[in-house]
Amino acid sequence: MTNASSLERRLRADITGDVLFDRFSRGRYATDASFYQIMPTGGVVPKTMDEALRALAIARDEGVKVTPRGGGTSQCGQTVNAGLVVDLSKHLNKILSLDVAGRTCVVEPGIVLDDLNRQLKQHGLWFPVDVSTASRATIGGMAGNNSCGGRSLRYGTMRDNTVSMEAALADGTLSRFGEVSRDLSDVNASDNVRTLFRDMLDLGAREADEIAAGFPKVQRRVGGYNLDALVPRNAPNNMAHLLVGSEGTLAFTTKVELKLWPVIRNKALGVCHFGSFYQAMDAAQHLVKLKPIAVELVDRTMIALGRDIAMFKPIINSAIKGDPDAVLVVEFAEEDQADNLARLRQLAELMGDLGFGWNNDTRKWGGVVEITEPALQSGIADFRAAGLNVMMSMKQEGKPVSFVEDCAVPLPHLADYTARLNEVFAKHGTSGTMYAHASEGCLHVRPVLNLKLEKDVRAMRAIAEEAFALVREYKGSHSGEHGDGMVRSEFHEIMFGERLVADFREVKKRFDPEGVLNPGKIVDAPKMDDRSLFRFKPDYRVGELKTKLDWSAYPGAGDGFQGAVEMCNNNGACRKLEGGVMCPSYRATRNEKDVTRGRANSLRLAISGQLGPDALASDEMMETLKLCVSCKACRHECPTGVDMAKMKIEVLAARAASHGLSLRDRLVGYLPRYAGLAARFAPLANLRNQSPLLRKLFERFAGISARRALPAFRSDIFVSPAETAGPEGGREVVLFADTFNRIYERENLDAALRVLTAGGYRVHMPKSASGRPLCCGRTFLSAGLVDQARSELDRLVSAFAPFAARGVPIVGLEPSCLLTLRDELTSLRKDNDAKAVAAHALTFEEFLVREAEAGRLQLPLGIVADKAVVHGHCHQKSFGAFKPVEQVLRLVPGLEVETIESSCCGMAGAFGYGADTYDASIEMAELSLLPAVRKSDPSTLVVADGTSCRHQIHDGAGREALHVARVLAMSLDRADTNSTSPTAKEPSHG
């Protein structure tokens, strides 16, 4: 601890980036995507590379080891260690130079692959080592692991595409590592670097025969150090290729020079179906002869799990025929699309030549489904890329475990290898999942084990030993893509022999004599089954928790809350920077604290007592969750289903129970209870907005930012003219008048009522027995007041259940309120009335689309504008309820609909009003939403269904955003003045 204190003090004095030594931060850096957990001394997030190198120097001087880290998605424990973790992903993520003509670029190691490729695309180039974690994997991490990606059959590995690297040795010496002649006459470096290079080349010459004999002859060999880069026959030798795959153990990378390729312009996929897994594996060696760029395996288990994941179900339904035991996705990507289509035809012919047919028995059942539509191709690619997380979505104690994850064998042996491997799994009482790179003989193989159980840990050890023996028998590589880390390093002697392992030690000693850089990887590794290094250590326990919501779908304490938290496998899909919504706070801050994974890790450590007593309700936990906007994107986009918004409710409830409520919590939570009174005295209630003094007082005492105007109360709140409106014979529908639209924006409810009655519907607006307006309890949940929310929902269910029992749809305008009935309601009540209400709850647009598709919607609509730009509410996106918004708007004649590709608007209920969260709120909005609104023409309609979204757009861009109901009402008004206007029919699905 003396070293840690001195290290922290010196780092804070010398580093302007984040210096993280608190227990919560250290806990967030204690894990990666492996099953290991090692608490580091501390973490540092340098702003510049000079700061990173100063951190290295200070740690070395203090006798503390250093581990560089990018996305933290390593499968084998490469990025966890007991020393100082240096996170390069937040700031050191730029392209330093680009040579378009020469097809090379130089980048900082923290740049994320997808971000790099987005910037390269405008130049017609890309970096093709397309790992499945491309949305969060950094180039530095990929170089450290010698990553391969799904298209290595065409493009090779990271090593094949690395031109040079700049790196600092453990002693701080900075040098360029690239191609060198054997006599080093072309090397301009310090004497000690020249001597190091000379020693390495001499080692390569001395051990050339041993390397030739001992290194596996497969492309997917990423184990050990790349000594073959040093042998004379490979001259000129590239010293960077020795650093590639070294897992941060030899030098600290500062720059990487990459080889670039032209972007793929045309693609065609053939999804080859097989009734027998063995036959699929045997066929791979033949399919590659058609020269595809990839042949990717998806097995029965992955298909079944994918069908249970909302974002993947439609993709699988479109691409999969029947009930295959496995499919091989064969990808062609030649410049000429006609060539790709010709190869697709050849693929079908080849499958026939191999004896497969749709009418055959199981052993030879199969055929090809051709996929030429780009959107479906992208969907299939996304599904395959999410393979790891899909496999980890099992809601049980046992999970597919990575340790024989990426062994590679020559293709002719693949079928026999996988068959024998399954026999090994069965022998030890388990089964495995298999998917990925069939074209390379490198499958991602994961037996299902519960590493909390000693017997399963022993089984893991036995399976590893037997599997690696098979790999050696087939002359394959025990590490084919994901590196060594702590999982495989101890097996190097079995795979390579004593002499080559001694050479590995010599290389490590020569580069890093004091063992400063990421020790315990590749050489001198711990036992892979040392449980003291596991995430679930032998003493791992979660005490009984009293929870408020239903977590019964999961195992463990807190009626399953433990299992829900432990679903996070650290693979980091939540760290993506574009596409979808998840995770808006991370996109704004790039802090590990503010990503779903970081929060889930903190929760797991807290409930298991590793962060001290009462950590769940602590100030540190509240700080961890502060920027979570409860957008629910993780619920939909995290393939393992980590629902942080729901988990946050539990934490807020625990916090409220132990610490009480702040004034802000009370003002937000109890809004539905006092809103009616505030409306009666609206001018008085709104004084705060007009008075700078009151704004400052509200900020000081209630934590509400003085920079925001609060929504204005109004005296003319919405009150339904009667409990029923519309023609008596019309189809019935219930209109849910939520608190926000009722109190603040009655125009939306008026518009919805007009649209529904104009469409011939009989609209019910029931009240509770007490006469008090109905409420979903959303504001109470946001303050952790679960019991009060339950009380509100009880009133609502009592009023709506009789209608739901008759099959009457329940329609709402505010997505967060209406979708509470499909989400939190079912976590608070399991009775039939609640289930019926949830089953019949529809957003306004979902209802209209359903009616239109059934041919029942007759709305005379007129032209209102040429164009509308639309921002989707996070909850609409999370529940697959946004597409109907686009469809309904396309009912309006002549209206061009453009969707803004945006994450959360950043307002998120009360979040955007917080004095401590205002800046983050604006940062989220400025990522894409507000710039897109500002860019739109003044005559363009801006459409947003969410109350919060509309307020954010008004505050940040000075534009009025409209609910879809108002757009339709405007369209009805225009139709009234033009008798020739068309009538709405079935909506376009474009």
Side-chain angles (χ1 to χ4, degrees):
M1 289 306 298
T2 302
N3 276 359
S5 300
S6 176
L7 175 66
E8 180 182 5
R9 187 168 56 252
R10 292 182 62 184
L11 287 171
R12 289 192 185 283
D14 214 25
I15 303 293
T16 62
D18 299 326
V19 177
L20 306 167
F21 277 68
D22 64 281
R23 58 184 180 172
F24 273 69
S25 294
R26 289 165 57 222
R28 287 187 280 267
Y29 284 115
T31 48
D32 55 13
S34 70
F35 53 80
Y36 294 109
Q37 175 181 300
I38 302 176
M39 195 68 73
T41 302
V44 64
V45 186
K47 287 188 175 179
T48 66
M49 192 55 73
D50 283 344
E51 285 194 350
L53 296 179
R54 287 205 298 275
L56 172 62
I58 292 168
R60 182 179 63 246
D61 192 48
E62 291 289 336
V64 176
K65 313 305 181 187
V66 173
T67 296
R69 181 175 168 120
T73 60
S74 301
Q75 297 291 309
C76 307
Q78 288 95 324
T79 59
V80 295
N81 225 320
L84 180 69
V85 173
V86 182
D87 183 346
L88 303 172
S89 65
K90 180 175 180 178
H91 299 293
L92 301 176
N93 49 28
K94 300 173 186 64
I95 297 177
L96 299 174
S97 65
L98 171 63
D99 180 355
V100 174
R103 293 181 183 171
T104 63
C105 69
V106 178
V107 302
E108 292 180 312
I111 192 168
V112 169
L113 176 59
D114 272 357
D115 194 27
L116 170 63
N117 279 330
R118 276 190 288 269
Q119 296 179 63
L120 293 175
K121 187 176 182 180
Q122 62 184 306
H123 303 287
L125 299 173
W126 77 311
F127 187 66
V129 184
D130 56 336
V131 294
S132 62
T133 52
S135 64
R136 59 270 195 201
T138 62
I139 292 297
M142 291 170 62
N145 284 352
N146 192 11
S147 296
C148 301
R151 298 182 174 96
S152 62
L153 189 66
R154 168 73 55 89
Y155 297 107
T157 67
M158 191 74 191
R159 171 181 170 176
D160 299 317
N161 292 280
T162 299
V163 178
S164 71
M165 299 171 73
E166 183 184 275
L169 299 178
D171 65 4
T173 303
L174 194 64
S175 186
R176 181 180 183 275
F177 293 75
E179 277 197 358
V180 299
S181 60
R182 294 296 297 182
D183 63 4
L184 301 180
S185 58
D186 52 355
V187 174
N188 180 20
S190 62
D191 289 345
N192 65 326
V193 171
R194 288 178 61 86
T195 303
L196 173 66
F197 287 3
R198 177 76 276 152
D199 291 347
M200 292 299 100
L201 294 176
D202 288 347
L203 184 150
R206 185 188 78 218
E207 300 296 329
D209 291 343
E210 188 71 18
I211 292 167
F215 273 38
K217 306 299 188 294
V218 291
Q219 185 191 40
R220 291 297 193 106
R221 180 205 60 75
V222 302
Y225 293 125
N226 292 324
L227 303 184
D228 55 331
L230 305 172
V231 300
R233 71 171 180 274
N234 289 332
N237 302 100
N238 194 321
M239 302 305 295
H241 293 176
L242 184 59
L243 297 187
V244 172
S246 65
E247 302 184 356
T249 63
L250 299 184
F252 190 97
T253 303
T254 60
K255 297 177 184 177
V256 187
E257 184 181 6
L258 303 171
K259 176 183 177 182
L260 306 177
W261 294 71
V263 295
I264 294 175
R265 301 192 183 279
N266 293 299
K267 284 193 297 187
L269 302 184
V271 182
C272 298
H273 290 55
F274 299 88
S276 159
F277 184 89
Y278 182 93
Q279 291 297 322
M281 295 301 89
D282 189 57
Q285 61 185 307
H286 304 292
L287 302 185
V288 297
K289 294 174 183 176
L290 295 177
K291 300 191 182 305
I293 67 169
V295 180
E296 296 285 288
L297 165 69
V298 179
D299 77 350
R300 174 183 292 278
T301 302
M302 186 169 167
I303 292 169
L305 290 170
R307 282 195 169 114
D308 288 335
I309 297 171
M311 65 190 297
F312 295 132
K313 183 176 180 179
I315 295 164
I316 293 170
N317 289 344
S318 298
I320 302 298
K321 180 176 180 178
D323 185 28
D325 206 29
V327 299
L328 293 176
V329 181
V330 183
E331 181 178 13
F332 300 105
E334 303 307 314
E335 187 69 23
D336 185 355
Q337 183 68 347
D339 192 357
N340 295 324
L341 297 177
R343 296 191 193 206
L344 266 187
R345 291 191 293 272
Q346 293 169 12
L347 180 65
E349 292 168 3
L350 178 56
M351 286 287 285
D353 292 342
L354 294 173
F356 296 100
W358 295 118
N359 297 318
N360 294 352
D361 61 16
T362 299
R363 181 175 173 275
K364 283 292 185 176
W365 175 87
V368 181
V369 172
E370 297 182 358
I371 308 291
T372 56
E373 194 219 331
L376 185 53
Q377 291 176 351
S378 296
I380 292 170
D382 290 343
F383 176 59
R384 217 313 280 141
L388 168 63
N389 280 330
V390 171
M391 293 301 192
M392 295 298 285
S393 66
M394 296 179 179
K395 296 176 180 178
Q396 59 188 46
E397 291 274 17
K399 296 285 194 296
V401 180
S402 171
F403 61 100
V404 290
E405 161 80 2
D406 57 330
C407 299
V409 299
L411 270 182
H413 301 305
L414 185 59
D416 287 339
Y417 166 69
T418 52
R420 292 175 67 186
L421 195 58
N422 276 324
E423 291 173 3
V424 171
F425 295 163
K427 171 184 171 183
H428 295 285
T430 187
S431 60
T433 62
M434 297 186 184
Y435 66 100
H437 317 303
S439 54
E440 300 279 15
C442 177
L443 301 184
H444 294 335
V445 178
R446 291 183 163 223
V448 177
L449 298 166
N450 179 4
L451 295 188
K452 295 175 185 175
L453 304 178
E454 180 61 34
K455 70 177 183 64
D456 280 21
V457 175
R458 288 197 299 269
M460 178 177 71
R461 177 85 199 186
I463 291 170
E465 291 174 350
E466 294 176 44
F468 293 153
L470 287 177
V471 171
R472 184 166 176 80
E473 177 185 334
Y474 289 121
K475 295 182 169 50
S477 171
H478 68 319
S479 185
E481 181 174 30
H482 292 155
D484 299 328
M486 291 182 283
V487 170
R488 283 186 278 269
S489 294
E490 73 155 297
F491 295 100
H492 283 339
E493 197 160 298
I494 296 171
M495 301 304 300
F496 292 103
E498 290 183 17
R499 183 168 170 177
L500 285 176
V501 169
D503 292 334
F504 294 162
R505 289 198 180 95
E506 182 180 338
V507 170
K508 170 65 174 174
K509 189 71 174 176
R510 188 63 187 81
F511 269 83
D512 182 19
E514 302 301 321
V516 172
L517 298 173
N518 205 20
K521 317 301 186 321
I522 300 180
V523 300
D524 302 321
K527 292 288 186 183
M528 62 90 74
D529 55 340
D530 181 350
R531 292 190 70 192
S532 69
L533 304 176
F534 280 21
R535 190 181 305 183
F536 303 121
K537 303 181 190 318
D539 61 350
Y540 182 86
R541 298 286 185 279
V542 175
E544 194 46 50
L545 300 163
K546 186 175 181 181
T547 52
K548 294 285 190 177
L549 305 177
D550 175 41
W551 301 96
S552 60
Y554 303 92
D559 294 323
F561 182 62
Q562 173 190 353
V565 169
E566 291 173 358
M567 286 298 292
C568 178
N569 66 4
N570 273 18
N571 197 251
C574 42
R575 287 173 62 98
K576 65 182 177 182
L577 299 173
E578 284 196 11
V581 179
M582 180 178 69
C583 174
S585 50
Y586 175 74
R587 293 183 184 190
T589 71
R590 302 272 186 109
N591 291 329
E592 183 70 18
K593 171 177 72 69
D594 300 320
V595 72
T596 305
R597 177 179 74 179
R599 297 176 182 124
N601 272 321
S602 295
L603 285 171
R604 177 179 53 80
L605 292 166
I607 63 177
S608 58
Q610 298 179 69
L611 296 177
D614 302 319
L616 190 64
S618 66
D619 292 344
E620 295 96 328
M621 184 60 74
M622 294 307 298
E623 184 67 23
T624 297
L625 292 174
K626 182 170 78 174
L627 299 190
C628 173
V629 292
S630 297
C631 64
K632 302 190 182 185
C634 50
R635 174 194 176 278
H636 175 65
E637 296 176 30
C638 171
T640 63
V642 173
D643 188 345
M644 191 52 59
K646 188 175 173 183
M647 293 174 187
K648 184 175 180 179
I649 293 172
E650 288 289 3
V651 176
L652 292 171
R655 175 76 175 186
S658 61
H659 290 73
L661 296 175
S662 68
L663 176 57
R664 178 179 161 190
D665 290 335
R666 293 181 185 279
L667 287 172
V668 172
Y670 284 93
L671 172 65
R673 301 273 175 90
Y674 66 77
L677 181 62
R680 289 169 59 188
F681 301 95
L684 184 63
N686 294 329
L687 274 180
R688 178 264 177 200
N689 284 351
Q690 280 75 52
S691 167
L693 175 61
L694 286 177
R695 285 191 179 216
K696 289 179 181 177
L697 289 174
F698 263 68
E699 179 165 303
R700 180 176 179 183
F701 294 106
I704 295 172
S705 175
R707 291 178 282 180
R708 286 276 195 201
L710 290 171
F713 289 103
R714 52 198 291 176
S715 56
D716 61 333
I717 63 174
F718 178 83
V719 178
S720 57
E723 287 205 17
T724 306
E728 288 201 22
R731 289 179 60 81
E732 292 182 289
V733 62
V734 170
L735 178 61
F736 172 27
D738 64 90
T739 299
F740 303 109
N741 284 303
R742 186 172 55 82
I743 295 295
Y744 299 122
E745 295 181 84
R746 67 164 296 167
E747 294 85 358
N748 297 327
L749 286 165
D750 290 333
L753 189 58
R754 168 138 192 254
V755 169
L756 292 171
T757 55
Y761 295 95
R762 183 71 168 168
V763 184
H764 300 285
M765 291 164 283
K767 300 176 181 177
S768 70
S770 66
R772 189 156 59 85
L774 298 175
C775 171
C776 69
R778 177 91 252 148
T779 60
F780 290 109
L781 291 171
S782 72
L785 298 170
V786 179
D787 291 337
Q788 288 86 340
R790 182 183 284 109
S791 174
E792 294 295 331
L793 284 166
D794 286 345
R795 290 192 310 110
L796 182 146
V797 169
S798 294
F800 287 172
F803 295 95
R806 302 204 313 268
V808 177
I810 299 163
V811 175
L813 302 187
E814 172 57 39
S816 62
C817 293
L818 185 282
L819 293 170
T820 296
L821 308 188
R822 300 221 300 246
D823 190 6
E824 286 87 357
L825 172 59
T826 58
S827 289
L828 290 168
R829 289 181 52 159
K830 288 296 182 185
D831 58 284
N832 290 334
D833 282 351
K835 290 176 182 177
V837 168
H840 288 84
L842 296 169
T843 65
F844 180 69
E845 296 83 6
E846 286 178 316
F847 172 73
L848 293 180
V849 166
R850 190 175 78 174
E851 293 298 289
E853 289 178 342
R856 294 191 292 261
L857 184 64
Q858 299 296 320
L859 286 175
L861 299 177
I863 296 171
V864 294
D866 292 331
K867 184 177 180 180
V869 292
V870 190
H871 165 71
H873 189 285
C874 297
H875 294 186
Q876 286 176 322
K877 296 171 185 175
S878 174
F879 285 84
F882 177 65
K883 187 175 180 62
V885 176
E886 300 171 315
Q887 292 174 268
V888 166
L889 286 171
R890 290 193 176 105
L891 295 174
V892 178
L895 185 63
E896 178 191 347
V897 180
E898 178 184 317
T899 297
I900 298 171
E901 290 299 323
S902 53
S903 182
C904 180
C905 73
M907 185 63 91
F911 178 87
Y913 295 100
D916 57 343
T917 52
Y918 172 84
D919 289 332
S921 168
I922 295 299
E923 284 180 40
M924 292 179 202
E926 291 289 359
L927 288 174
S928 60
L929 172 59
L930 293 183
V933 171
R934 293 189 195 107
K935 190 172 67 174
S936 65
D937 188 89
S939 64
T940 296
L941 298 180
V942 180
V943 180
D945 276 355
T947 300
S948 294
C949 309
R950 292 191 294 273
H951 280 262
Q952 183 76 303
I953 290 167
H954 177 271
D955 290 355
R959 294 285 295 273
E960 181 187 13
L962 303 174
H963 192 285
V964 170
R966 288 188 63 191
V967 177
L968 292 180
M970 290 162 55
S971 187
L972 286 172
D973 289 340
R974 296 295 173 87
D976 285 346
T977 62
N978 182 358
S979 60
T980 62
S981 61
T983 298
K985 300 294 184 183
E986 182 173 340
S988 163
H989 291 266

